[in-house]
Amino acid sequence: MRLHKGMVIVMLLGGAAACAKSGNEAGQEAPEQAAAPAGEAGSAAAVQLTVEDSSLIARATVTDEAARAAALASVPGGQIVAGELEEEGGSLIYSYDVKVEAQEGVQEVHVDATTGK
C-alpha cells in the first residue's frame, strides 16, 4: 500500500467513523484521523484505515468491520497490519495487508466495498 499526499486516514471505532482534523505548523490541513481505540496495538481494530478520498466512505455499502472479517477469513492466523479504502480498476475496494506471524512479508487481500466478496 502506498500513501499519497492529501490522502484521508480514518479510524473506525465500533463501526462508526470518528474523525478529527488538525493543522500542521505550515497551516496546511493534516489528514483526517482519530485516536486509536483501547486494545492491542497490532490488533485489526487498532489499525487505521487509509482513505484516498473521503467521498469513498459514503459509497461503500460494506463496513470496514465486515470487510476486515472477510479478509481475515481468507488468511487463517493472519493479522491486519494496514488497510485502505480505494478505487482500483473502476471498483471500490478495501485493501488489507495481512501478516501471518510464522511467514515473511504480508499478503494483500482485496474485499469489494460494495459486495463484500
Side-chain angles (χ1 to χ4, degrees), residues 61-62 67 91-94 110-117:
T61 56
V62 174
S91 297
L92 186 60
I93 63 164
Y94 289 100
H110 292 173
V111 178
D112 188 297
T114 57
T115 67
K117 294 183 181 185

Side-chain angles (χ1 to χ4, degrees), residues 1-4 7 49-53 56-57 59-60 83-97 108-113:
M1 255 181 252
R2 41 185 205 278
L3 297 176
H4 301 281
M7 291 182 78
L49 178 69
T50 303
V51 183
E52 288 181 337
D53 175 353
L56 298 179
I57 296 169
R59 293 180 36 213
E84 182 176 8
L85 177 62
E86 61 186 331
E87 210 162 11
E88 189 172 288
S91 297
L92 186 60
I93 63 164
Y94 289 100
S95 177
Y96 298 106
D97 287 346
E108 187 169 344
V109 179
H110 292 173
V111 178
D112 188 297

Side-chain angles (χ1 to χ4, degrees), residues 3-101:
L3 297 176
H4 301 281
K5 183 176 179 182
M7 291 182 78
V8 178
I9 299 175
V10 178
M11 171 71 71
L12 296 184
L13 304 171
C19 300
K21 279 191 173 183
S22 64
N24 65 18
E25 292 175 15
Q28 298 171 333
E29 284 190 12
E32 293 183 21
Q33 52 184 305
E40 285 186 38
S43 71
V47 174
Q48 293 180 344
L49 178 69
T50 303
V51 183
E52 288 181 337
D53 175 353
S54 60
S55 69
L56 298 179
I57 296 169
R59 293 180 36 213
T61 56
V62 174
T63 66
D64 178 50
E65 184 177 86
R68 285 173 189 261
L72 290 173
S74 71
V75 183
Q79 182 176 8
I80 294 174
V81 295
E84 182 176 8
L85 177 62
E86 61 186 331
E87 210 162 11
E88 189 172 288
S91 297
L92 186 60
I93 63 164
Y94 289 100
S95 177
Y96 298 106
D97 287 346
V98 182
K99 172 75 177 139
V100 176
E101 190 162 330

